[in-house]
Amino acid sequence: MYAGPNIEICALEKFVHLGSAVHPPLVVVSIDVPDDKDLYIQPAIKDLPADWAELPSPPSAQEFGRQWLDAKKQLVMFLPSAVIPETANALINPHHPAYAKVSLTIVRDFTFDARMFK
């Protein structure tokens, strides 16, 4: 599951990937995860594949993520945003045993401001 720490980065990440396609209805979702530091990892940029920020996502980045998912060592991995590297996105591992403690709550409908498409 791909998530962000705030609505701003989530909206920006979604917006840059929309292209000209009509997007489905969107919602803001609050994600609650267990508060246990051992369930989290934030690799340094130097530990990521050299081409991690390229689009489309290169095989090396996909393999990095697949290995993390398969290892099931952490519930959440924070990674730099390719759009704004100073902020992080979160990958949540649905295969981790603690995923059963993750809760999702739809907060509200979401639409982009029409001015973003001018």
Side-chain angles (χ1 to χ4, degrees):
M1 179 185 314
Y2 187 77
N6 58 58
I7 192 171
E8 297 89 351
I9 192 63
C10 292
L12 185 59
E13 291 278 348
K14 185 69 176 174
F15 185 75
V16 299
H17 295 289
L18 279 177
S20 60
V22 175
H23 61 82
L26 301 171
V27 293
V28 174
V29 177
S30 174
I31 304 173
D32 290 315
V33 294
D35 187 19
D36 178 347
K37 66 182 174 89
D38 293 332
L39 294 175
Y40 301 84
I41 187 170
Q42 187 164 7
I45 289 181
K46 68 177 181 64
D47 296 329
L48 301 176
D51 56 355
W52 68 270
E54 292 181 11
L55 284 177
S57 182
S60 61
Q62 294 175 30
E63 180 62 16
F64 182 86
R66 187 195 61 74
Q67 288 179 10
W68 173 75
L69 285 169
D70 290 348
K72 301 176 191 171
K73 290 182 180 178
Q74 299 89 19
L75 175 63
V76 179
M77 178 166 54
F78 291 103
L79 296 166
S81 164
V83 179
I84 302 176
E86 292 79 13
T87 193
N89 290 313
L91 294 180
I92 302 172
N93 190 343
H95 305 296
H96 190 279
Y99 185 77
K101 297 178 182 175
V102 173
S103 66
L104 307 174
T105 305
I106 294 176
V107 176
R108 65 177 176 85
D109 291 338
F110 178 83
T111 56
F112 289 105
D113 187 294
R115 294 172 290 186
M116 295 176 75
F117 296 96
K118 288 185 175 183

